[in-house]
């Protein structure tokens, strides 16, 4: 199982060179873990950048993956991770969700680089 972070989803959606690298991780939906906080970030970004219709389509796609709601156990773990790794609240929730579900985290955000269980794909530009 792999948790795909918002940054990797966005790269995939804009079909960037980095998005092409992460595309194979998104294709097998039954192996993709999507925290509800990632759905929120995607919906917010898509509504702003691509419109409500596209946002609805992508969120519908994520619902065919394994959706992981934020629960108390993940919230408390995220609180710990905020201080331990100096992560923002949202990033700590994403990382705590991956850890709770024994999922690898695929991300394009450098602040996750070097954390256990993380596959960091640096953004490349043309």
């Amino acid at each position: 199982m792999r948790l795909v972070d918002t940054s990797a989803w966005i790269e995939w959606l804009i079909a960037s060179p980095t998005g092409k690298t992460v595309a194979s991780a998104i294709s097998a939906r039954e192996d993709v873990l999507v925290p509800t906080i990632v759905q929120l970030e995607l919906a917010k970004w898509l509504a702003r950048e691509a419109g409500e219709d596209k946002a609805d389509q992508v969120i519908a796609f994520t619902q065919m993956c394994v959706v992981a709601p934020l629960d108390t156990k993940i919230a408390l773990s995220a609180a710990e991770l905020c201080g331990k790794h100096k992560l923002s609240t949202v990033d700590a929730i994403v990382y705590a969700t991956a850890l709770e579900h024994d999922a690898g985290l695929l991300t394009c955000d450098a602040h996750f680089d070097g954390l256990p269980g993380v596959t960091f794909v640096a953004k490349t530009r043309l």
Side-chain angles (χ1 to χ4, degrees):
M1 177 101 27
R2 176 165 285 171
L3 190 157
V4 179
D5 184 37
T6 307
S7 61
W9 279 103
I10 290 171
E11 292 297 319
W12 178 68
L13 288 166
I14 65 172
S16 72
T18 305
K20 292 175 182 148
T21 301
V22 302
S24 63
I26 296 173
S27 62
R29 292 179 294 218
E30 65 277 359
D31 294 327
V32 176
L33 182 66
V34 182
T36 51
I37 194 80
V38 168
Q39 288 178 315
L40 179 150
E41 288 187 312
L42 281 173
K44 183 178 161 184
W45 182 84
L46 284 159
R48 183 181 67 240
E49 299 295 326
E52 294 293 330
D53 288 341
K54 183 68 172 177
D56 290 344
Q57 291 171 8
V58 173
I59 296 306
F61 180 88
T62 67
Q63 288 176 308
M64 292 186 284
C65 300
V66 179
V67 176
L70 175 59
D71 61 20
T72 302
K73 186 174 182 183
I74 292 171
L76 295 176
S77 175
E80 231 177 86
L81 293 168
C82 281
K84 184 176 180 182
H85 298 294
K86 305 212 181 321
L87 296 172
S88 71
T89 299
V90 170
D91 289 337
I93 290 169
V94 168
Y95 190 49
T97 303
L99 294 174
E100 176 63 23
H101 291 272
D102 293 321
L105 173 59
L106 175 64
T107 185
C108 301
D109 285 336
H111 51 268
F112 285 114
D113 192 19
L115 293 177
V118 171
T119 300
F120 169 65
V121 179
K123 294 179 186 178
T124 56
R125 299 292 173 216
L126 293 174

